[in-house]
Amino acid sequence: MKRFEDHAALITAAGSGIGAATAHRLAEEGARVLVTDIDEAAAGKVAASIREQGGTAREFACDVGDRAAVEAAVAYAVETFGRLDVLVNNACACHPDAPLFEDEDDEVWATDLDITLTGAYRCARAALPHLVASGRGAIVNIGSVNGIQDFGNHAYSAAKAGLASLTRTLAGHAGPRGVRVNLIAPGTVRTAAWAGRDEQLDTMRELYPLGRVGEPADIAAAVAFLASSDAAWVTGAVLPVDGGTTAISSGFKIMRD
């Protein structure tokens, strides 16, 4: 039996990259998946690809910065699939730092925190009653090694560290209600954000003990584990999926540059 038979999942920012790979992975294992993204056309392509491969998926436009949009996405998932068992908070915003910290912009700071941290909060708040009702609910937050060590990006890193803290506090609150909450902290992953920067990725590859940067499928596999009954006694955990980069202390400046 597939691990997610008779499960329904909602994934944010699933129109590409880690989110798309996760949608495919959960669907391959039997889940009915709501592919959400601020770009509805991108979400639609992923959902269509899943259906072409024999899976069950729908798309829905969702801006996690908008509470009404989040609540509408959750309601649509429950209405369409009859339940909600898994929430994957993947949406984030990451703007480059100003050369000097004192020149950082308030709007950039606010945007990165609102989408990356508060967006996950909005989604968890809307989904939690349904996850409780499922009797096997799981939330998997996509964090970052930036929330663990210094790799630059002040606002994004602060947001990801905050997401790890929210993971722990929500795990304590939701555990007695039957819902597990965990976080994956990826290292560098080859997504569209790195398009045209193959040379930089090659340089960064040398800094990972496992000798390569990550692929979206690496993160999707970890999501599938934490969302499944295989992780039935795991909650409040931060799981680095980073090729070993947080286990070493050299080369960080090169990674930041």
Side-chain angles (χ1 to χ4, degrees), residues 83-85 127-137 177-179:
R83 59 186 304 122
L84 183 62
D85 305 278
L128 190 57
H130 305 287
L131 298 174
V132 170
S134 83
R136 57 189 179 194
R177 303 168 70 187
V179 177

Side-chain angles (χ1 to χ4, degrees), residues 117-222:
L117 176 58
T118 310
Y121 153 76
R122 292 186 186 101
C123 293
R125 179 178 58 190
L128 190 57
H130 305 287
L131 298 174
V132 170
S134 83
R136 57 189 179 194
I139 298 174
V140 182
N141 295 320
I142 306 301
S144 172
V145 294
N146 284 57
I148 299 173
Q149 293 179 354
D150 172 24
F151 295 106
N153 296 107
H154 302 297
Y156 171 81
S157 298
K160 291 297 191 180
L163 187 56
S165 179
L166 177 62
T167 297
R168 291 186 289 269
T169 59
L170 187 54
H173 172 79
R177 303 168 70 187
V179 177
R180 297 179 300 103
V181 188
N182 293 289
L183 179 140
I184 293 167
T188 304
V189 177
R190 191 187 306 274
T191 65
W194 290 95
R197 293 192 284 169
D198 289 342
E199 184 175 340
Q200 188 176 1
L201 282 177
D202 285 341
T203 300
M204 296 175 73
R205 172 182 55 78
E206 299 173 2
L207 304 174
Y208 284 86
L210 291 182
R212 66 174 176 88
V213 299
E215 301 294 339
D218 294 317
I219 311 306

Side-chain angles (χ1 to χ4, degrees), residues 43-57:
K45 289 180 181 178
V46 173
S49 176
I50 290 171
R51 290 193 295 269
E52 288 170 5
Q53 295 172 22
T56 301

